[in-house]
Amino acid sequence: METEVVKIEEDKIDQSVMKRAGEILKAGGLVAFPTETVYGLGGDALNKESSRKIYAAKGRPSDNPLIVHIAGMEDLDAITKEVPEAAYRLAKAFWPGPLTMILKKSEKVPLETTGGLETVAVRMPVHKTALALIRAAGGYIAAPSANISGKPSPTLAKYVTEDMNGRIEMIIDGGAVGIGLESTIVDLTEDTPTILRPGYITMQMLQDVLGNVEMDRAIIQADSKLKPKAPGMKYRHYAPNGDLTIIAGDKDKVVKRINELASAMQAKGERVGIIGTEETVSLYHGDSVKNAGNREQEETIARSLFQILREFDDEKITVIYSESFDESGIGQAIMNRLLKAAGHHVENV
Ligand code: TXA
Ligand code: MG
């Protein structure tokens, strides 16, 4: 299949392109598109054949459910049932935006889209191109992140092309995404709202609206045997080709240890990548030293993390060392993704 790549500016959306992309989706085809979090791989959420195609294109296990993206509150009722009042409160506070809610599904949503579950994940993105595409497609787009299963989620269209060229009908290139990590997922089907995946909308922000909110224990306890409630969180994920280790501790010790390990690995012929921050990058020596951003503004680190992991692959890096990050605010989401990318391999110094 020939994959067409089309550039779209969020503030100057070409409606004729949207119409064409919408037709592709309505006909059961797949279109990748930008959102504020990461690029999504879209198909018609109400068409089970489209969902099957999404799993095939990603090489994703079909018990790992998809997120249904909507463009307006009026579209929520048709795909859900028994929606708790808490969901409307969260929607009012955070939609459109990087929050996904797990709710009971209606008959309309095929089990192929929900990985066989009776619940459905719903999100209303804030990215204008995403909203326009959802409307053009008839209101419901199922979209996982647009990467091959297991790889870091794409934050630029070129990474979507790398993974999806020849597998899908169209890629809408909207430039770099704003947030860089996937949406926060909160389960509202249990007595206490529970975070299944941390993201830009933090625990504190959810608690400010709802009061009591829990974190899925499988997410807090790094290498526990607990099964995460979001099926996708159990798979190896975000993994670069290189072998990644997180070095945690005081700044000076971390820098010293990473440089030590890097030299030892280089002596063995490995190509070493290092993830530092603005204040430390100049202190490292490796084959590729990356500045993840500013510790005082952790959203800069969120935005660059997946791109750095992808760049290491392009640079044929075989061993990677990363600093550790503060787990407050969005830091929780950063560490969740970094730990998964590292297979929970952490050395404390
Ligand atoms: O930011 C995002 O959420 C991006 C953009 C494209 O919107 N999408 C995304 O989708 O990250 P994906 O498929 O890569 O991750 C969806 C996660 C998976 O871990 C999946 O298991 C979980 O959501 N999930 C989906 N439906 C669920 C359900 N009914 N119950 C529990 N977990 C669910
Ligand atoms: Mg994903």
Side-chain angles (χ1 to χ4, degrees):
M1 171 187 321
E2 184 90 18
T3 303
E4 184 190 356
V5 182
V6 195
K7 276 204 164 61
I8 291 274
E9 281 177 51
E10 197 179 352
D11 291 320
K12 242 185 357 205
I13 294 175
D14 182 340
Q15 291 303 335
S16 67
V17 172
M18 284 301 134
K19 188 155 180 290
R20 206 147 49 79
E23 295 304 328
I24 293 173
L25 289 164
K26 283 184 186 159
L30 303 185
V31 176
F33 61 100
T35 81
E36 69 277 18
T37 56
V38 297
Y39 273 80
L41 172 56
D44 178 356
L46 306 186
N47 178 346
K48 59 185 179 196
E49 289 308 324
S50 301
S51 293
R52 286 201 185 113
K53 283 189 204 164
I54 290 176
Y55 288 111
K58 271 182 75 83
R60 174 172 182 154
S62 59
D63 69 340
N64 187 0
L66 308 174
I67 295 175
V68 179
H69 295 67
I70 61 174
M73 273 315 274
E74 62 284 4
D75 295 325
L76 183 65
D77 284 353
I79 54 166
T80 53
K81 61 181 185 195
E82 299 161 37
V83 176
E85 195 252 330
Y88 292 105
R89 287 191 4 232
L90 288 183
K92 192 155 182 277
F94 303 115
W95 276 2
L99 179 73
T100 297
M101 292 194 245
I102 309 292
L103 299 163
K104 285 194 184 151
K105 82 170 194 72
S106 75
E107 293 298 307
K108 247 186 134 137
V109 186
L111 287 167
E112 281 76 2
T113 300
T114 64
L117 298 176
E118 289 301 329
T119 55
V120 60
V122 190
R123 162 160 127 81
M124 191 193 298
V126 70
H127 198 290
K128 289 189 194 128
T129 309
L131 289 171
L133 184 67
I134 296 165
R135 289 197 192 97
Y140 303 98
I141 296 185
S145 49
N147 51 285
I148 296 279
S149 192
K151 290 233 246 166
S153 301
T155 53
L156 290 171
K158 73 169 181 178
Y159 299 128
V160 180
T161 306
E162 236 172 69
D163 284 13
M164 293 299 154
N165 195 26
R167 295 170 181 243
I168 65 178
E169 277 79 1
M170 188 189 269
I171 296 171
I172 298 176
D173 179 349
V177 299
I179 294 175
L181 298 178
E182 307 86 345
S183 61
T184 304
I185 302 180
V186 59
D187 185 354
L188 293 172
T189 64
E190 308 273 347
D191 290 341
T192 308
T194 306
I195 297 177
L196 307 189
R197 179 174 72 184
Y200 184 82
I201 307 290
T202 61
M203 171 79 124
Q204 186 61 55
M205 290 160 82
L206 295 173
Q207 281 170 340
D208 286 348
V209 176
L210 295 185
N212 196 15
V213 176
E214 282 174 4
M215 182 70 72
D216 183 5
R217 291 173 55 80
I219 288 172
I220 311 172
Q221 293 174 359
D223 42 10
S224 76
K225 306 262 179 307
L226 290 173
K227 194 170 151 241
K229 286 192 193 139
M233 300 299 277
K234 75 183 177 219
Y235 297 107
R236 183 171 150 80
H237 230 125
Y238 316 119
N241 296 329
D243 189 12
L244 168 61
T245 306
I246 301 166
I247 310 295
D250 290 344
K251 187 186 102 182
D252 295 348
K253 285 189 185 163
V254 167
V255 170
K256 184 163 170 274
R257 181 64 180 148
I258 287 182
N259 279 332
E260 241 168 54
L261 288 164
S263 305
M265 284 298 161
Q266 282 179 319
K268 287 189 192 167
E270 303 284 359
R271 279 178 58 77
V272 178
I274 297 172
I275 304 179
T277 47
E278 249 163 48
E279 49 169 349
T280 55
V281 273
S282 63
L283 306 173
Y284 289 119
H285 14 160
D287 295 284
S288 174
V289 178
K290 306 282 187 192
N291 176 0
N294 182 338
R295 280 183 184 276
E296 304 299 310
Q297 291 165 284
E298 285 213 302
E299 64 279 3
T300 57
I301 298 168
R303 201 178 301 136
S304 67
L305 181 65
F306 286 152
Q307 183 171 347
I308 288 175
L309 295 176
R310 291 248 176 191
E311 283 169 2
F312 281 150
D313 285 353
D314 295 341
E315 295 163 14
K316 308 265 182 295
I317 294 297
T318 56
V319 174
I320 304 164
Y321 298 106
S322 175
E323 294 180 6
S324 180
F325 301 98
D326 201 0
E327 289 211 31
S328 62
I330 197 178
Q332 186 148 44
I334 295 169
M335 282 311 287
N336 169 259
R337 308 307 194 277
L338 192 60
L339 281 162
K340 283 177 87 62
H344 290 282
H345 197 190
V346 183
E347 184 184 314
N348 290 294
V349 292

